[in-house]
Amino acid sequence: MPILLLCFLLLVPVASFARAAPGQPARPTAPTQAPAAAAPVATTAPSPDSLPVKRVVLYKNGIGYFEHVGPVRGNQSVTIEFTSDQLNDVLTSLTTLDLGGGRITAINYNSEAPLNQRLGSMNLPIGEATTVAQFLGALRGARVEARSSGGVFSGRLLAVEKRTRTRAENQTQEVDELSIVSDAGEVRVVELSPAVSVRLVDRDLNQQVSRYLGVLASAQQQAVRRMTISTAGSGERSLFVSYVSEVPVWKTTYRLIVPSKAGAKPLLQGWAIVDNTIGEDWTKVEMSLVAGQPQSFIQQISQPFYVRRPVVPLPSSVQLTPQTHEASNRPAEAEADKSMRVMAEAPFVGVPGGVVGGVVGGLPSAPPPPAPAARFRSAVSEGMGRIEPVAAGREMGDFFEYQIKEPITVRKNQSALVPIVNGEVSLEKVTVWNPTSQNGVPLRAAWLTNSTGLTLDAGSFTVIESEAFAGEGLMSAMTPGDRRLLSYAADTAVRVNARSDGGPRQVQAIRVNHGVLIQTSQEQERRVYTINNDDKTSRTLVIEHPARPGWKFAAGAPQPAETSAGYNRFRVTVEPKKGATLTVDEIHPLEQRYGLMSIDDSELLLLIRSQGENQALEAALRPVIAKKQALASIDRDLAARKAETDRITQDQARLRENMKALKGSSEEKALLSRYTRQLDEQETRLETLQRETATLQQQRAKEEAELSRLVDELKVG
């Protein structure tokens, strides 16, 4: 396709072309009032009793909010058609209002039982999926007539059985055989093969089979549900109906047009792709597209619901005795019928559900016909002149809504491109390089600033530059004022080489402050990027350097122009046919803290020695170490005296137990006297130990207070 024609098709609405005859070129027509609608097709006029769609709101989670508004007179009934897939959503969200003082008297729709339920109500024991053998097996006892090469056999069908037959070359095959009993009592076996035909003789059975096939055929068709809304009132009034229905998710696609003329503003066009899959046309409807996902679910309330009742066997005796039964749950049909009765007796009271947007204004005048190719190229180069917005945007809490300013027409089972953004933006053309990019090739990109005043939904985009296709890519959602880097093509003129200079290096230091020993260390790493530009024009290269948690840039190192969640972006300008270098120095500080009062002497000495010849630190810590060693010596003396006290106490308990066992003989009296002397000596030693322990504890408290003073006053580094 020529370049100019490609650009022209990207900018001119789809509805500006009429369908041409085969082999003839498309001819331009006068633009329609709804430029985003699909090409008009012949449709039947709506029924006088139908209620047309007037407003559509589509959401990103695959649901749509629909409003029908139309006139009613007197006790009139109107209809709305849905597909069976829509009916569940409609029943859970339907809102109806008679806006002229009338009331809603009834809402009815055609309901169908599930296929299995309808098949189960027939006399034929056949399911939804069945084979010929299964079908005939369900007709056991029926009168049939079988025709084969061996003749005609009639009678009642006895059975359909599978048998194994031996064919040529000892090959076995499993076949189905019919057993037919004639009126004379003769049993004939017929192999069921393509050459055998079986006719049902009974007329009633033929009718049952016909009904069975009819039920299957009706299930294959797309069921259309017609809802009838009956009103009561006087005079002509307006009837409002709204509901939520499942619809395809609307998609977004953009066109970024970069003018070649210096100073001209780039143009961003945004299109929403919408699909009409409901049961009727959208003719000149107000349309809103919401970038949000409200919670929604499906509940199968449109299908009749059956509960299994208990099967009670017949009594073995003719005499019936009274008995009690457990209460059963109320069937769902009863609840549904009750709701329908309430709906029929009193009108609905409420407000329309969903999000109500502004009123769409009047239709604009028809735009002029498309410009010739030369004028089009000039318009692109000059930045398209004055741009009129085509959609009004507004915040909706966590959502954002595009309100299309012109009515939209989309026929049922068709799709359309709906314009939602058409405004000037600010961008800077750059080349971006990421270490994880495919094959390490830099990419042409646009540093785009969203100056449209609208929230841009996520979607694909196409770039038109120098009056030709320049590439395409994907963009995430952007709020007004956001700045985003969008890549769309490879830049083969730029080469980037990245290397680490020397690898990580560690530097350690220790300082002491108010009793806390702080050991700091840091990793240092240098990354060098070498860039070469082989093009005749200069390049602004954006290098995406990985952002690592805990790492920061060293003092005096280049700072990034922009930071994202995973990357730091550095700007480097590379002159034509030249190279450039970017050096990034980073540090990763680490810190560990130790309490001087709690740290072990050996660990403290190890930390000091890890610093090498740090005489100032060692001199400052020497009194602390000496005092800690003195405290350790006192603790050892206290532990020794406590251990001796425990041994004496245990020995005294042993002596007292032995003394209780003595009976008073001369030998025992001598032993008692010995035990008494030992106890006396031990008591004297215990008193000495208690005095020494008290003295050591006083000394320890004094040394600990002195250590605390030294630690609090100590400050090194």
Side-chain angles (χ1 to χ4, degrees):
M1 179 182 294
I3 293 175
L4 296 180
L5 181 57
L6 172 63
C7 300
F8 183 77
L9 290 178
L10 289 172
L11 292 176
V12 177
V14 175
S16 297
F17 289 91
R19 188 180 303 274
Q24 298 297 325
R27 53 183 179 87
T29 63
T32 62
Q33 292 176 334
V41 295
T43 57
T44 58
S47 169
D49 294 334
S50 65
L51 204 62
V53 180
K54 291 298 184 182
R55 183 164 179 262
V56 177
V57 182
L58 303 180
Y59 295 82
K60 274 294 185 179
N61 63 337
I63 63 170
Y65 168 76
F66 299 89
E67 290 180 359
H68 296 248
V69 180
V72 293
R73 179 181 293 274
N75 299 339
Q76 182 182 351
S77 296
V78 295
T79 60
I80 302 176
E81 290 188 352
F82 309 99
T83 64
S84 294
D85 293 336
Q86 289 180 271
L87 191 57
N88 289 310
D89 287 327
V90 171
L91 293 180
T92 57
S93 60
L94 183 69
T95 303
T96 60
L97 292 172
D98 191 320
L99 303 179
R103 60 192 180 95
I104 310 300
T105 59
I107 300 178
N108 303 307
Y109 63 94
N110 57 313
S111 177
E112 292 184 353
L115 178 60
N116 290 336
Q117 183 71 25
R118 286 186 284 163
L119 292 177
S121 64
M122 304 180 67
N123 293 331
L124 291 175
I126 308 174
E128 180 179 355
T130 184
T131 64
V132 174
Q134 293 171 345
F135 173 75
L136 293 174
L139 304 180
R140 293 178 58 191
R143 184 173 293 277
V144 297
E145 182 182 270
R147 292 178 177 272
S148 67
S149 59
V152 178
F153 308 100
S154 62
R156 294 190 179 274
L157 182 61
L158 175 63
V160 179
E161 301 175 287
K162 287 188 177 293
R163 296 186 183 275
T164 302
R165 295 279 189 181
T166 302
R167 303 298 187 186
E169 299 180 358
N170 295 326
Q171 293 183 354
T172 59
Q173 181 182 6
E174 194 175 59
V175 297
D176 294 312
E177 291 183 345
L178 304 180
S179 299
I180 301 175
V181 181
S182 67
D183 294 339
E186 181 183 5
V187 178
R188 300 296 299 267
V189 177
V190 179
E191 181 179 328
L192 188 59
S193 66
V196 176
S197 65
V198 180
R199 186 174 69 88
L200 304 181
V201 178
D202 294 339
R203 180 179 178 183
D204 292 342
L205 182 58
N206 273 321
Q207 293 177 350
Q208 292 183 29
V209 171
S210 179
R211 288 198 302 270
Y212 164 77
L213 296 176
V215 170
L216 290 181
S218 64
Q220 303 300 324
Q221 301 173 356
Q222 183 181 19
V224 176
R225 304 298 180 92
R226 175 169 295 182
M227 180 172 287
T228 302
I229 303 174
S230 302
T231 65
S234 60
E236 184 170 320
R237 312 175 307 280
S238 292
L239 179 65
F240 172 91
V241 177
S242 70
Y243 54 88
V244 169
S245 174
E246 184 177 38
V247 294
V249 176
W250 64 276
K251 289 86 66 180
T252 312
T253 178
Y254 298 94
R255 314 290 183 264
L256 182 58
I257 304 171
V258 183
S260 57
K261 182 178 179 180
K265 283 283 189 178
L267 172 68
L268 181 67
Q269 283 190 345
W271 298 82
I273 300 175
V274 298
D275 308 284
N276 181 4
T277 58
I278 69 171
E280 58 182 291
D281 297 338
W282 298 343
T283 304
K284 295 183 180 180
V285 299
E286 301 175 17
M287 179 169 289
S288 295
L289 305 174
V290 178
Q293 299 187 15
Q295 179 172 300
S296 181
F297 57 89
I298 296 175
Q299 192 174 46
Q300 301 289 348
I301 67 173
S302 66
Q303 296 182 0
F305 180 70
Y306 298 87
V307 296
R308 296 183 63 86
R309 294 182 296 169
V311 178
V312 180
L314 293 174
S316 57
S317 174
V318 177
Q319 297 290 335
L320 298 179
T321 57
Q323 54 183 319
T324 60
H325 304 276
E326 294 183 356
S328 61
N329 294 328
R330 177 180 297 187
E333 308 93 289
E335 293 293 338
D337 290 342
K338 179 181 178 182
S339 300
M340 290 301 295
R341 287 197 298 272
V342 172
M343 193 178 299
E345 293 170 358
F348 260 48
V349 179
V351 296
V355 180
V356 180
V359 178
V360 174
L363 294 176
S365 59
R375 293 176 56 193
F376 169 75
R377 293 177 58 184
S378 175
V380 172
S381 299
E382 295 175 3
M384 300 304 295
R386 186 171 179 268
I387 301 302
E388 293 291 340
V390 295
R394 69 185 183 102
E395 299 290 341
M396 295 171 47
D398 295 333
F399 307 149
F400 188 85
E401 179 186 24
Y402 300 97
Q403 292 180 343
I404 311 303
K405 292 185 176 182
E406 301 177 5
I408 299 298
T409 297
V410 184
R411 306 302 181 191
K412 62 181 177 181
N413 299 323
Q414 291 193 3
S415 302
L417 283 168
V418 179
I420 57 176
V421 178
N422 194 28
E424 295 176 348
V425 292
S426 300
L427 66 84
E428 178 187 7
K429 288 174 55 180
V430 296
T431 295
V432 61
W433 182 84
N434 187 291
T436 62
S437 61
Q438 185 176 8
N439 300 325
V441 177
L443 300 175
R444 292 297 277 165
W447 224 333
L448 179 71
T449 301
N450 179 15
S451 53
T452 63
L454 301 174
T455 295
L456 303 180
D457 188 47
S460 61
F461 67 90
T462 298
V463 178
I464 305 298
E465 184 179 7
S466 299
E467 305 161 12
F469 171 73
E472 57 188 3
L474 297 174
M475 62 178 288
S476 54
M478 296 179 64
T479 57
D482 272 2
R483 192 164 181 253
R484 196 66 50 81
L485 197 61
L486 307 177
S487 61
Y488 55 87
D491 191 347
T492 57
V494 177
R495 291 174 286 111
V496 180
N497 180 40
R499 60 182 177 85
S500 294
D501 188 6
R505 301 185 300 275
Q506 289 191 353
V507 179
Q508 293 184 346
I510 290 181
R511 57 190 175 91
V512 180
N513 188 18
H514 297 294
V516 179
L517 186 146
I518 305 170
Q519 182 188 31
T520 60
S521 61
Q522 68 178 19
E523 292 180 291
Q524 297 180 351
E525 185 171 308
R526 171 172 292 180
R527 192 80 168 168
V528 180
Y529 298 94
T530 304
I531 308 114
N532 290 287
N533 179 16
D534 297 333
D535 199 34
K536 297 178 181 179
T537 59
S538 63
R539 288 287 196 272
T540 297
L541 179 66
V542 176
I543 293 180
E544 292 193 320
H545 181 80
R548 296 176 290 178
W551 287 80
K552 61 183 182 180
F553 299 105
Q559 298 299 310
E562 183 179 276
T563 300
S564 66
Y567 294 97
N568 298 295
R569 296 190 175 111
F570 292 88
R571 296 172 60 101
V572 181
T573 301
V574 189
E575 298 299 327
K577 299 294 184 179
K578 292 185 178 181
T581 301
L582 172 68
T583 302
V584 180
D585 289 319
E586 291 180 288
I587 59 174
H588 184 210
L590 299 173
E591 184 178 274
Q592 288 182 299
R593 293 174 175 261
Y594 305 90
L596 288 176
M597 297 291 291
S598 59
I599 191 173
D600 185 76
D601 291 343
S602 59
E603 294 179 348
L604 183 59
L605 290 172
L606 184 62
L607 288 173
I608 295 174
R609 290 167 185 166
S610 67
Q611 297 301 300
E613 296 294 333
N614 194 336
Q615 297 180 357
L617 177 63
E618 188 174 354
L621 291 176
R622 190 176 294 116
V624 175
I625 295 174
K627 192 62 66 177
K628 289 175 67 66
Q629 290 176 346
L631 276 173
S633 177
I634 294 174
D635 289 338
R636 287 193 295 271
D637 292 342
L638 285 172
R641 282 159 177 76
K642 183 179 183 305
E644 185 179 357
T645 300
D646 292 341
R647 287 196 302 270
I648 292 175
T649 301
Q650 293 175 0
D651 192 55
Q652 284 184 335
R654 179 184 61 80
L655 292 175
R656 290 189 176 94
E657 289 295 327
N658 292 339
M659 292 171 67
K660 290 179 183 179
L662 298 177
K663 302 300 184 179
S665 62
S666 56
E667 293 83 0
E668 291 176 341
K669 289 181 179 179
L671 188 57
L672 180 62
S673 175
R674 177 182 172 186
Y675 288 163
T676 304
R677 287 195 303 273
Q678 289 182 3
L679 287 174
D680 183 63
E681 293 173 357
Q682 289 176 343
E683 287 297 326
T684 302
R685 180 57 183 163
L686 286 176
E687 292 176 358
T688 302
L689 290 174
Q690 290 175 355
R691 288 193 300 272
E692 292 176 352
T693 299
T695 301
L696 288 171
Q697 288 176 343
Q698 292 176 359
Q699 184 179 356
R700 189 185 189 286
K702 181 180 178 181
E703 295 290 342
E704 191 171 26
E706 183 66 18
L707 176 61
S708 297
R709 183 187 63 80
L710 289 174
V711 168
D712 290 340
E713 295 176 354
L714 185 62
K715 190 173 183 181
V716 181

Short mmCIF file of all heavy atoms in Angstrom, two decimals, residues 7 69 79 122 163 353 402 437 497 507 549 600 630 717:
data_model
loop_
_atom_site.label_atom_id
_atom_site.label_comp_id
_atom_site.label_asym_id
_atom_site.label_seq_id
_atom_site.Cartn_x
_atom_site.Cartn_y
_atom_site.Cartn_z
N CYS A 7 -1.27 6.38 5.55
CA CYS A 7 -1.50 7.45 6.52
C CYS A 7 -2.94 7.92 6.48
O CYS A 7 -3.56 8.22 7.50
CB CYS A 7 -0.53 8.61 6.26
SG CYS A 7 1.21 8.15 6.38
N VAL A 69 -34.83 3.82 26.62
CA VAL A 69 -35.83 4.86 26.89
C VAL A 69 -36.74 4.97 25.68
O VAL A 69 -36.25 5.04 24.53
CB VAL A 69 -35.17 6.23 27.20
CG1 VAL A 69 -36.25 7.27 27.47
CG2 VAL A 69 -34.23 6.13 28.38
N THR A 79 -41.38 -4.62 24.43
CA THR A 79 -40.53 -5.81 24.47
C THR A 79 -39.07 -5.42 24.28
O THR A 79 -38.75 -4.45 23.59
CB THR A 79 -40.92 -6.82 23.38
OG1 THR A 79 -40.78 -6.19 22.11
CG2 THR A 79 -42.35 -7.29 23.57
N MET A 122 -39.43 -37.18 28.45
CA MET A 122 -39.93 -38.00 27.34
C MET A 122 -39.88 -39.48 27.74
O MET A 122 -39.17 -39.88 28.67
CB MET A 122 -39.09 -37.75 26.09
CG MET A 122 -39.05 -36.28 25.67
SD MET A 122 -38.07 -36.01 24.19
CE MET A 122 -39.06 -36.85 22.98
N ARG A 163 -20.53 -58.17 19.59
CA ARG A 163 -19.88 -59.47 19.42
C ARG A 163 -18.58 -59.29 18.67
O ARG A 163 -18.40 -58.32 17.91
CB ARG A 163 -20.79 -60.45 18.67
CG ARG A 163 -22.07 -60.80 19.42
CD ARG A 163 -22.84 -61.89 18.69
NE ARG A 163 -24.09 -62.18 19.35
CZ ARG A 163 -24.22 -63.02 20.38
NH1 ARG A 163 -23.14 -63.65 20.85
NH2 ARG A 163 -25.41 -63.24 20.94
N GLY A 353 -29.41 1.78 37.88
CA GLY A 353 -28.11 1.36 38.37
C GLY A 353 -27.00 1.81 37.45
O GLY A 353 -27.21 2.42 36.42
N TYR A 402 -14.56 7.87 29.49
CA TYR A 402 -14.55 8.60 28.23
C TYR A 402 -16.01 8.73 27.77
O TYR A 402 -16.66 7.73 27.48
CB TYR A 402 -13.76 7.87 27.15
CG TYR A 402 -12.32 7.63 27.47
CD1 TYR A 402 -11.90 6.40 27.98
CD2 TYR A 402 -11.35 8.60 27.25
CE1 TYR A 402 -10.57 6.16 28.27
CE2 TYR A 402 -10.02 8.37 27.54
CZ TYR A 402 -9.64 7.15 28.05
OH TYR A 402 -8.32 6.92 28.33
N SER A 437 17.44 -6.14 27.03
CA SER A 437 16.76 -6.08 25.74
C SER A 437 17.25 -7.20 24.83
O SER A 437 18.36 -7.73 24.99
CB SER A 437 17.00 -4.72 25.07
OG SER A 437 18.39 -4.53 24.85
N ASN A 497 28.12 -0.99 24.75
CA ASN A 497 28.87 -2.05 25.42
C ASN A 497 28.97 -1.70 26.90
O ASN A 497 29.38 -0.60 27.27
CB ASN A 497 30.27 -2.20 24.82
CG ASN A 497 31.07 -3.29 25.50
OD1 ASN A 497 30.52 -4.34 25.82
ND2 ASN A 497 32.34 -3.05 25.74
N VAL A 507 35.20 -1.78 51.65
CA VAL A 507 35.96 -0.88 52.52
C VAL A 507 35.27 -0.89 53.87
O VAL A 507 34.05 -0.73 53.96
CB VAL A 507 36.00 0.55 51.94
CG1 VAL A 507 36.78 1.47 52.87
CG2 VAL A 507 36.64 0.55 50.56
N PRO A 549 18.19 -2.47 45.37
CA PRO A 549 17.87 -2.02 46.74
C PRO A 549 19.14 -1.86 47.57
O PRO A 549 20.01 -2.73 47.58
CB PRO A 549 16.97 -3.13 47.30
CG PRO A 549 16.43 -3.83 46.09
CD PRO A 549 17.50 -3.74 45.05
N ASP A 600 31.82 -9.90 73.74
CA ASP A 600 32.89 -10.69 74.33
C ASP A 600 34.24 -10.06 73.99
O ASP A 600 34.42 -9.45 72.94
CB ASP A 600 32.82 -12.13 73.81
CG ASP A 600 33.85 -13.02 74.48
OD1 ASP A 600 33.61 -13.39 75.64
OD2 ASP A 600 34.86 -13.32 73.84
N ALA A 630 39.15 -7.19 84.13
CA ALA A 630 39.06 -7.19 85.59
C ALA A 630 37.70 -7.70 86.04
O ALA A 630 37.59 -8.48 87.00
CB ALA A 630 39.31 -5.77 86.12
N GLY A 717 36.35 7.96 66.13
CA GLY A 717 35.94 7.96 64.73
C GLY A 717 34.85 8.96 64.44
O GLY A 717 34.26 9.59 65.28
#
